[in-house]
Amino acid sequence: MLFNSYEFLFLLLPLALAGYYAIRSRSARLVLLAVLSYVFYGWWDYRFCGLMMLSTVIDYVSGLGMGSAVSERKRKAWITVSVIANLSLLGFFKYFDLAARTINGVASAFHGAPAELLPLLHLTLPVGISFYTFQSMSYSIDVYRRVVEPQRSFLQFAFYVSFFPQLVAGPIVRYRDIADQLVSRSHTWEKASRGITLFILGFAKKVILADGVAPLADAVFGAGHAGLVESWTGVAAYAMQIYFDFSGYSDMAVGLGLLFGFSFPQNFNSPYKAVSITDFWRRWHMSLSTWLRDYLYISLGGNQRGTFRTYVNLFLTMLLGGLWHGANWTFVIWGAYHGLLLAVERSRPSRNLLSRAPAAVQRIFTLALVMAGWVLFRCASVPDAVGVFTGLLGGYGWMSGMVSSGQHDLSLLMLPVCLGISLFLPNTWEIKWPHGWIQALLLALLFVACVMIMLVNSSSPFLYFQF
Amino acid sequence: MTIHAQRRGFPIVALVGLVWLACGAGDWFMRFHWYRWQATLVAGPAVETVGPFASMRTIEVPVRRGGDLSHLLGIPKVAALFEDERPAMIETSDEFGYRNHPPTATNNYSVVVTGSSFMNSGYPMTNILASRLSRQLGVPVYNAAFPGRGPFIGLIRFLQDERFVRNPPRVLVWGVVEREIGAHAFGGLLYQIELLVKHTIEARKQDSSILWRNLRPGSLKTALPDSSAIAQLSRRIWTFIRYYVFGRMNPAVAASGPSWKGAPFLFYSAAVESLRWMPAQRIVPSVADDIAIVSDYLRARGIALVMLLIPDKEQVYREFLPGVMLDEANPIPPSCLDELGERLRVKDVPVVSLLGPYREGAGQGRLLYWRDDTHWNSEAIAMAAEAVSHVVEPLLAAQPAAPGSGAF
């Protein structure tokens, strides 16, 4: 089920809110939300619910095991079980075919090797598996590090893993951030108002801005031999699409959480205003970047093992972060690209040529680097990416005519609007939105407009659902 | 905390909540009241009618303008540029819900015509293919076409129809339109026939039952937005914005490039897309195999199958397609009807392909389809009837009467 779908807005969400506020018992509320979360998740494919339950049970039992373990060896055994089980699930469903294709490709270079050393299984990727396994693993690791106490209530833990606002595309919520809220949380008009505001603004970012520029990006990336102007326009359109799509979804998720009294962390903080790649990763998909920092980078040693090792750790962390995004070598290269940039930035003196440039120059330079990375992210293969890069450098001429004002007028209109909003305006978390009747009317009108646009376009999936 | 502070946020919650509830509640109300969605969830009592319409229906249809393509435009002023007038007529359905003049229950028919909307269209009813064919052959011809559901349901209903089990016709003319031809559609035909026959028998045993399959997530995903009053309103508003702000019509249709004798006509975008299907997508040999199996099955029942292959308007009038529908990188390949016709002839299935005659007619300056519709007009139906009669006449003469078929 999608947030921007009829069945969510006018079937599941009304049921969830009505049931939640009609029930007084805390645990009954969690039961209701957990059940509806499984309905929400199972809407795509009911078989995926079993997988999520399996991951939940493994980490719940591991947490209890670590809590009751006397020796450090036993604690280590439990955390090993949790990490291996979660990564195995993720690895099997997401990366098996990539590994098989790669091994078969390498083997085919050798004479006498079988045509297909490993069979391709063509597995259906369970929606959101990357998110809920990481979320669940963060709990186990925090229990191991004694940051949090194990959760004794299976209901509360199952709810934590499955709660529908952040289930399939984040933000990745740490257990430590939500543990207290499971037991006690406030429900105020202000919280609900903030939740509604975030939800509607996120909804607008998705259906108006992201979906507005999407046809332009699709046209350029689909053609693969666009002229220079069209290539930059298409890449800029994709940069806007992925930002507003993902940040819009995150806003909707946080907004929904607030409606039920839960406060989730911010996931995006105007990333295209970043003045460096390091700054970019402090603003983009913050729940993932902090997860990678705390559970991967620091586990590898962080910056505690010398300069060269720090660069290696940065590079490896981003490489694996890229792999997390998708089972394709383009994602790995994208991650490596960002790892390299981070390492290079770290190696520069603090006062360098770029840092002395005006902030606007730094932002433009950073944005250009990020957009170059999005080419790898968007393309289905390395040759496709090479084609787009060729276009960006003018290899196919100035204009190839694939973007015409006749077909893409709406997208061409939306692109500068998106650029202006992302580069110059405050983001949804920075807006100090008053709570008066005029603002209420504007939000109501915006909500109706978004619903109407959604229904005209029918449903389109959030980009990050493939992860 | 003061009351004011406690209630900060109340206006947004109240007003947005109210609007959301109103939209949702209103939409659900309209879904049941206006759209009668509940009718899609209950099978209803078993009925004798097997055809697409209510039985013994007589409707006085006034003069009207416009066809399926002009109706897609959604803007009356623009649609008027393309619309042609349809004469007033009396529309009747027989005892079984098919578009024939009743009574038909006591008649025996040597020839039955089936297929989708093409086989059912004609203004007035004396112009539909079955009627024209009847006049051409001099024998009663029964119209068992089932519009709006593709090429198979008419055939399937014919196969299930006890009338034609007891008194089989000598010839069944099955009309299929070019855009319906693809292995993906025909592939499951035989299985579907078996399954639907079984389901129909089971359904008729019950007075009513809940159609749980229409409540599955996959079905609801399409049914809920499609049966939403807000969605209908949104689409209408967007149609006007798209035209008056961006100057674009509904992308599902496009006006012809060159005009036809000073007046433009409309094409259907999906039909042009289907024309672009490559042989690997259509898999014509597989389609021919499936049709041959149907032909063998009918032959065993004493019925000769005649396939009527109808080209798309977009195929016949290729030269008139507008630039927006053409793509140099992805040109429209030759029609699949020639190959299908050849393969069916090799398999001893009588075939009438209208591609050649219609292209010739178009070259002679004849308009064989409604300007505002995907369907053929009276002139084209007359040509089809003549072509079919040349193939059916020898079969009527040669085909021995099937057991119980009665006189004629």
Side-chain angles (χ1 to χ4, degrees), chain A residues 390-417:
Chain A
T390 306
L392 288 170
L393 296 170
Y396 301 118
W398 191 248
M399 295 271 282
S400 64
M402 74 186 44
V403 172
S404 67
S405 59
Q407 280 184 298
H408 300 107
D409 38 12
L410 190 57
S411 299
L412 288 169
L413 193 67
M414 294 305 302
L415 182 57
V417 172

PDB file of all heavy atoms in Angstrom, chain A residues 390-417:
ATOM      1  N   THR A 390      28.181  11.051 -21.446  1.00  0.00           N
ATOM      2  CA  THR A 390      28.597  11.563 -22.759  1.00  0.00           C
ATOM      3  C   THR A 390      27.717  12.739 -23.155  1.00  0.00           C
ATOM      4  O   THR A 390      28.207  13.747 -23.679  1.00  0.00           O
ATOM      5  CB  THR A 390      28.500  10.455 -23.822  1.00  0.00           C
ATOM      6  OG1 THR A 390      29.250   9.327 -23.384  1.00  0.00           O
ATOM      7  CG2 THR A 390      29.019  10.931 -25.173  1.00  0.00           C
ATOM      8  N   GLY A 391      26.431  12.589 -22.909  1.00  0.00           N
ATOM      9  CA  GLY A 391      25.521  13.685 -23.211  1.00  0.00           C
ATOM     10  C   GLY A 391      25.798  14.910 -22.370  1.00  0.00           C
ATOM     11  O   GLY A 391      25.767  16.037 -22.866  1.00  0.00           O
ATOM     12  N   LEU A 392      26.125  14.692 -21.087  1.00  0.00           N
ATOM     13  CA  LEU A 392      26.421  15.815 -20.193  1.00  0.00           C
ATOM     14  C   LEU A 392      27.653  16.584 -20.661  1.00  0.00           C
ATOM     15  O   LEU A 392      27.765  17.790 -20.411  1.00  0.00           O
ATOM     16  CB  LEU A 392      26.645  15.309 -18.762  1.00  0.00           C
ATOM     17  CG  LEU A 392      25.407  14.833 -17.999  1.00  0.00           C
ATOM     18  CD1 LEU A 392      25.805  14.148 -16.706  1.00  0.00           C
ATOM     19  CD2 LEU A 392      24.480  16.001 -17.703  1.00  0.00           C
ATOM     20  N   LEU A 393      28.551  15.889 -21.321  1.00  0.00           N
ATOM     21  CA  LEU A 393      29.777  16.549 -21.796  1.00  0.00           C
ATOM     22  C   LEU A 393      29.639  17.035 -23.238  1.00  0.00           C
ATOM     23  O   LEU A 393      30.623  17.475 -23.827  1.00  0.00           O
ATOM     24  CB  LEU A 393      30.961  15.569 -21.686  1.00  0.00           C
ATOM     25  CG  LEU A 393      31.296  15.143 -20.251  1.00  0.00           C
ATOM     26  CD1 LEU A 393      32.306  14.006 -20.222  1.00  0.00           C
ATOM     27  CD2 LEU A 393      31.843  16.332 -19.451  1.00  0.00           C
ATOM     28  N   GLY A 394      28.442  16.915 -23.781  1.00  0.00           N
ATOM     29  CA  GLY A 394      28.205  17.436 -25.130  1.00  0.00           C
ATOM     30  C   GLY A 394      28.543  16.464 -26.240  1.00  0.00           C
ATOM     31  O   GLY A 394      28.634  16.870 -27.399  1.00  0.00           O
ATOM     32  N   GLY A 395      28.714  15.193 -25.899  1.00  0.00           N
ATOM     33  CA  GLY A 395      29.109  14.214 -26.909  1.00  0.00           C
ATOM     34  C   GLY A 395      28.051  13.961 -27.975  1.00  0.00           C
ATOM     35  O   GLY A 395      28.343  13.449 -29.048  1.00  0.00           O
ATOM     36  N   TYR A 396      26.786  14.302 -27.679  1.00  0.00           N
ATOM     37  CA  TYR A 396      25.712  14.120 -28.658  1.00  0.00           C
ATOM     38  C   TYR A 396      25.194  15.451 -29.162  1.00  0.00           C
ATOM     39  O   TYR A 396      24.060  15.567 -29.618  1.00  0.00           O
ATOM     40  CB  TYR A 396      24.569  13.320 -28.046  1.00  0.00           C
ATOM     41  CG  TYR A 396      24.971  11.944 -27.561  1.00  0.00           C
ATOM     42  CD1 TYR A 396      24.859  11.614 -26.221  1.00  0.00           C
ATOM     43  CD2 TYR A 396      25.458  10.991 -28.444  1.00  0.00           C
ATOM     44  CE1 TYR A 396      25.234  10.361 -25.764  1.00  0.00           C
ATOM     45  CE2 TYR A 396      25.841   9.733 -27.985  1.00  0.00           C
ATOM     46  CZ  TYR A 396      25.731   9.426 -26.653  1.00  0.00           C
ATOM     47  OH  TYR A 396      26.104   8.185 -26.202  1.00  0.00           O
ATOM     48  N   GLY A 397      26.016  16.468 -29.046  1.00  0.00           N
ATOM     49  CA  GLY A 397      25.610  17.765 -29.563  1.00  0.00           C
ATOM     50  C   GLY A 397      24.913  18.606 -28.522  1.00  0.00           C
ATOM     51  O   GLY A 397      24.814  18.239 -27.349  1.00  0.00           O
ATOM     52  N   TRP A 398      24.464  19.707 -28.996  1.00  0.00           N
ATOM     53  CA  TRP A 398      23.874  20.690 -28.101  1.00  0.00           C
ATOM     54  C   TRP A 398      22.463  20.256 -27.701  1.00  0.00           C
ATOM     55  O   TRP A 398      22.118  20.243 -26.525  1.00  0.00           O
ATOM     56  CB  TRP A 398      23.848  22.029 -28.844  1.00  0.00           C
ATOM     57  CG  TRP A 398      23.521  23.202 -28.005  1.00  0.00           C
ATOM     58  CD1 TRP A 398      22.395  23.957 -28.080  1.00  0.00           C
ATOM     59  CD2 TRP A 398      24.314  23.780 -26.984  1.00  0.00           C
ATOM     60  NE1 TRP A 398      22.436  24.970 -27.161  1.00  0.00           N
ATOM     61  CE2 TRP A 398      23.607  24.894 -26.460  1.00  0.00           C
ATOM     62  CE3 TRP A 398      25.561  23.477 -26.440  1.00  0.00           C
ATOM     63  CZ2 TRP A 398      24.104  25.682 -25.441  1.00  0.00           C
ATOM     64  CZ3 TRP A 398      26.050  24.279 -25.421  1.00  0.00           C
ATOM     65  CH2 TRP A 398      25.323  25.364 -24.930  1.00  0.00           C
ATOM     66  N   MET A 399      21.619  19.956 -28.719  1.00  0.00           N
ATOM     67  CA  MET A 399      20.233  19.539 -28.465  1.00  0.00           C
ATOM     68  C   MET A 399      19.902  18.389 -29.403  1.00  0.00           C
ATOM     69  O   MET A 399      20.241  18.442 -30.574  1.00  0.00           O
ATOM     70  CB  MET A 399      19.257  20.683 -28.775  1.00  0.00           C
ATOM     71  CG  MET A 399      19.378  21.899 -27.900  1.00  0.00           C
ATOM     72  SD  MET A 399      18.354  21.776 -26.423  1.00  0.00           S
ATOM     73  CE  MET A 399      16.752  22.156 -27.087  1.00  0.00           C
ATOM     74  N   SER A 400      19.211  17.372 -28.924  1.00  0.00           N
ATOM     75  CA  SER A 400      18.835  16.268 -29.804  1.00  0.00           C
ATOM     76  C   SER A 400      17.335  16.241 -30.079  1.00  0.00           C
ATOM     77  O   SER A 400      16.844  15.392 -30.795  1.00  0.00           O
ATOM     78  CB  SER A 400      19.264  14.934 -29.188  1.00  0.00           C
ATOM     79  OG  SER A 400      18.561  14.734 -27.978  1.00  0.00           O
ATOM     80  N   GLY A 401      16.590  17.150 -29.477  1.00  0.00           N
ATOM     81  CA  GLY A 401      15.165  17.271 -29.786  1.00  0.00           C
ATOM     82  C   GLY A 401      14.260  16.315 -29.037  1.00  0.00           C
ATOM     83  O   GLY A 401      13.066  16.240 -29.329  1.00  0.00           O
ATOM     84  N   MET A 402      14.775  15.586 -28.071  1.00  0.00           N
ATOM     85  CA  MET A 402      13.894  14.625 -27.394  1.00  0.00           C
ATOM     86  C   MET A 402      13.060  15.272 -26.313  1.00  0.00           C
ATOM     87  O   MET A 402      12.062  14.717 -25.856  1.00  0.00           O
ATOM     88  CB  MET A 402      14.706  13.493 -26.779  1.00  0.00           C
ATOM     89  CG  MET A 402      15.452  13.899 -25.541  1.00  0.00           C
ATOM     90  SD  MET A 402      16.515  12.626 -24.945  1.00  0.00           S
ATOM     91  CE  MET A 402      17.247  12.062 -26.434  1.00  0.00           C
ATOM     92  N   VAL A 403      13.492  16.433 -25.875  1.00  0.00           N
ATOM     93  CA  VAL A 403      12.690  17.153 -24.891  1.00  0.00           C
ATOM     94  C   VAL A 403      12.024  18.302 -25.616  1.00  0.00           C
ATOM     95  O   VAL A 403      12.697  19.201 -26.099  1.00  0.00           O
ATOM     96  CB  VAL A 403      13.567  17.694 -23.744  1.00  0.00           C
ATOM     97  CG1 VAL A 403      12.753  18.600 -22.843  1.00  0.00           C
ATOM     98  CG2 VAL A 403      14.146  16.536 -22.945  1.00  0.00           C
ATOM     99  N   SER A 404      10.738  18.235 -25.745  1.00  0.00           N
ATOM    100  CA  SER A 404      10.043  19.300 -26.479  1.00  0.00           C
ATOM    101  C   SER A 404       9.068  19.974 -25.529  1.00  0.00           C
ATOM    102  O   SER A 404       8.515  19.338 -24.631  1.00  0.00           O
ATOM    103  CB  SER A 404       9.280  18.707 -27.663  1.00  0.00           C
ATOM    104  OG  SER A 404       8.234  17.895 -27.196  1.00  0.00           O
ATOM    105  N   SER A 405       8.884  21.251 -25.777  1.00  0.00           N
ATOM    106  CA  SER A 405       7.968  21.974 -24.896  1.00  0.00           C
ATOM    107  C   SER A 405       6.557  21.437 -25.066  1.00  0.00           C
ATOM    108  O   SER A 405       5.740  21.524 -24.169  1.00  0.00           O
ATOM    109  CB  SER A 405       8.009  23.468 -25.199  1.00  0.00           C
ATOM    110  OG  SER A 405       7.644  23.672 -26.546  1.00  0.00           O
ATOM    111  N   GLY A 406       6.265  20.857 -26.221  1.00  0.00           N
ATOM    112  CA  GLY A 406       4.931  20.320 -26.424  1.00  0.00           C
ATOM    113  C   GLY A 406       4.614  19.172 -25.476  1.00  0.00           C
ATOM    114  O   GLY A 406       3.532  19.085 -24.924  1.00  0.00           O
ATOM    115  N   GLN A 407       5.582  18.285 -25.307  1.00  0.00           N
ATOM    116  CA  GLN A 407       5.304  17.104 -24.488  1.00  0.00           C
ATOM    117  C   GLN A 407       5.670  17.291 -23.032  1.00  0.00           C
ATOM    118  O   GLN A 407       5.121  16.620 -22.176  1.00  0.00           O
ATOM    119  CB  GLN A 407       6.132  15.927 -25.019  1.00  0.00           C
ATOM    120  CG  GLN A 407       5.521  15.277 -26.234  1.00  0.00           C
ATOM    121  CD  GLN A 407       6.326  14.062 -26.643  1.00  0.00           C
ATOM    122  OE1 GLN A 407       7.499  14.165 -26.986  1.00  0.00           O
ATOM    123  NE2 GLN A 407       5.718  12.909 -26.599  1.00  0.00           N
ATOM    124  N   HIS A 408       6.645  18.136 -22.747  1.00  0.00           N
ATOM    125  CA  HIS A 408       7.169  18.237 -21.381  1.00  0.00           C
ATOM    126  C   HIS A 408       6.954  19.622 -20.784  1.00  0.00           C
ATOM    127  O   HIS A 408       7.715  20.041 -19.912  1.00  0.00           O
ATOM    128  CB  HIS A 408       8.667  17.888 -21.384  1.00  0.00           C
ATOM    129  CG  HIS A 408       8.948  16.508 -21.875  1.00  0.00           C
ATOM    130  ND1 HIS A 408       9.503  16.249 -23.108  1.00  0.00           N
ATOM    131  CD2 HIS A 408       8.725  15.295 -21.314  1.00  0.00           C
ATOM    132  CE1 HIS A 408       9.614  14.951 -23.281  1.00  0.00           C
ATOM    133  NE2 HIS A 408       9.156  14.336 -22.214  1.00  0.00           N
ATOM    134  N   ASP A 409       5.926  20.330 -21.250  1.00  0.00           N
ATOM    135  CA  ASP A 409       5.738  21.698 -20.782  1.00  0.00           C
ATOM    136  C   ASP A 409       5.534  21.754 -19.271  1.00  0.00           C
ATOM    137  O   ASP A 409       6.095  22.627 -18.598  1.00  0.00           O
ATOM    138  CB  ASP A 409       4.569  22.363 -21.513  1.00  0.00           C
ATOM    139  CG  ASP A 409       3.416  21.418 -21.758  1.00  0.00           C
ATOM    140  OD1 ASP A 409       3.419  20.322 -21.165  1.00  0.00           O
ATOM    141  OD2 ASP A 409       2.529  21.760 -22.547  1.00  0.00           O
ATOM    142  N   LEU A 410       4.743  20.829 -18.742  1.00  0.00           N
ATOM    143  CA  LEU A 410       4.485  20.859 -17.311  1.00  0.00           C
ATOM    144  C   LEU A 410       5.767  20.599 -16.532  1.00  0.00           C
ATOM    145  O   LEU A 410       6.058  21.290 -15.550  1.00  0.00           O
ATOM    146  CB  LEU A 410       3.432  19.810 -16.965  1.00  0.00           C
ATOM    147  CG  LEU A 410       2.871  19.855 -15.555  1.00  0.00           C
ATOM    148  CD1 LEU A 410       2.274  21.215 -15.268  1.00  0.00           C
ATOM    149  CD2 LEU A 410       1.814  18.774 -15.362  1.00  0.00           C
ATOM    150  N   SER A 411       6.549  19.628 -16.969  1.00  0.00           N
ATOM    151  CA  SER A 411       7.800  19.310 -16.273  1.00  0.00           C
ATOM    152  C   SER A 411       8.787  20.459 -16.367  1.00  0.00           C
ATOM    153  O   SER A 411       9.480  20.776 -15.395  1.00  0.00           O
ATOM    154  CB  SER A 411       8.439  18.053 -16.852  1.00  0.00           C
ATOM    155  OG  SER A 411       7.591  16.949 -16.700  1.00  0.00           O
ATOM    156  N   LEU A 412       8.864  21.087 -17.520  1.00  0.00           N
ATOM    157  CA  LEU A 412       9.778  22.216 -17.697  1.00  0.00           C
ATOM    158  C   LEU A 412       9.350  23.398 -16.832  1.00  0.00           C
ATOM    159  O   LEU A 412      10.175  24.209 -16.425  1.00  0.00           O
ATOM    160  CB  LEU A 412       9.843  22.625 -19.167  1.00  0.00           C
ATOM    161  CG  LEU A 412      10.598  21.646 -20.078  1.00  0.00           C
ATOM    162  CD1 LEU A 412      10.393  21.985 -21.544  1.00  0.00           C
ATOM    163  CD2 LEU A 412      12.088  21.631 -19.750  1.00  0.00           C
ATOM    164  N   LEU A 413       8.066  23.465 -16.570  1.00  0.00           N
ATOM    165  CA  LEU A 413       7.557  24.512 -15.681  1.00  0.00           C
ATOM    166  C   LEU A 413       7.902  24.181 -14.225  1.00  0.00           C
ATOM    167  O   LEU A 413       8.252  25.055 -13.429  1.00  0.00           O
ATOM    168  CB  LEU A 413       6.037  24.581 -15.841  1.00  0.00           C
ATOM    169  CG  LEU A 413       5.295  25.774 -15.274  1.00  0.00           C
ATOM    170  CD1 LEU A 413       5.684  27.020 -16.038  1.00  0.00           C
ATOM    171  CD2 LEU A 413       3.794  25.543 -15.398  1.00  0.00           C
ATOM    172  N   MET A 414       7.797  22.902 -13.881  1.00  0.00           N
ATOM    173  CA  MET A 414       8.010  22.496 -12.486  1.00  0.00           C
ATOM    174  C   MET A 414       9.482  22.512 -12.098  1.00  0.00           C
ATOM    175  O   MET A 414       9.808  22.700 -10.928  1.00  0.00           O
ATOM    176  CB  MET A 414       7.472  21.067 -12.277  1.00  0.00           C
ATOM    177  CG  MET A 414       5.977  20.899 -12.411  1.00  0.00           C
ATOM    178  SD  MET A 414       5.049  22.001 -11.329  1.00  0.00           S
ATOM    179  CE  MET A 414       5.685  21.542  -9.750  1.00  0.00           C
ATOM    180  N   LEU A 415      10.367  22.291 -13.067  1.00  0.00           N
ATOM    181  CA  LEU A 415      11.784  22.156 -12.724  1.00  0.00           C
ATOM    182  C   LEU A 415      12.343  23.396 -12.022  1.00  0.00           C
ATOM    183  O   LEU A 415      12.949  23.266 -10.952  1.00  0.00           O
ATOM    184  CB  LEU A 415      12.598  21.810 -13.976  1.00  0.00           C
ATOM    185  CG  LEU A 415      14.098  21.581 -13.768  1.00  0.00           C
ATOM    186  CD1 LEU A 415      14.355  20.483 -12.747  1.00  0.00           C
ATOM    187  CD2 LEU A 415      14.787  21.235 -15.091  1.00  0.00           C
ATOM    188  N   PRO A 416      12.194  24.601 -12.571  1.00  0.00           N
ATOM    189  CA  PRO A 416      12.717  25.767 -11.843  1.00  0.00           C
ATOM    190  C   PRO A 416      12.028  25.976 -10.498  1.00  0.00           C
ATOM    191  O   PRO A 416      12.660  26.452  -9.547  1.00  0.00           O
ATOM    192  CB  PRO A 416      12.440  26.953 -12.783  1.00  0.00           C
ATOM    193  CG  PRO A 416      11.516  26.458 -13.813  1.00  0.00           C
ATOM    194  CD  PRO A 416      11.630  24.989 -13.874  1.00  0.00           C
ATOM    195  N   VAL A 417      10.770  25.614 -10.412  1.00  0.00           N
ATOM    196  CA  VAL A 417      10.071  25.722  -9.118  1.00  0.00           C
ATOM    197  C   VAL A 417      10.745  24.807  -8.098  1.00  0.00           C
ATOM    198  O   VAL A 417      11.025  25.209  -6.964  1.00  0.00           O
ATOM    199  CB  VAL A 417       8.585  25.351  -9.275  1.00  0.00           C
ATOM    200  CG1 VAL A 417       7.901  25.260  -7.933  1.00  0.00           C
ATOM    201  CG2 VAL A 417       7.876  26.344 -10.177  1.00  0.00           C
TER     202      VAL A 417
END
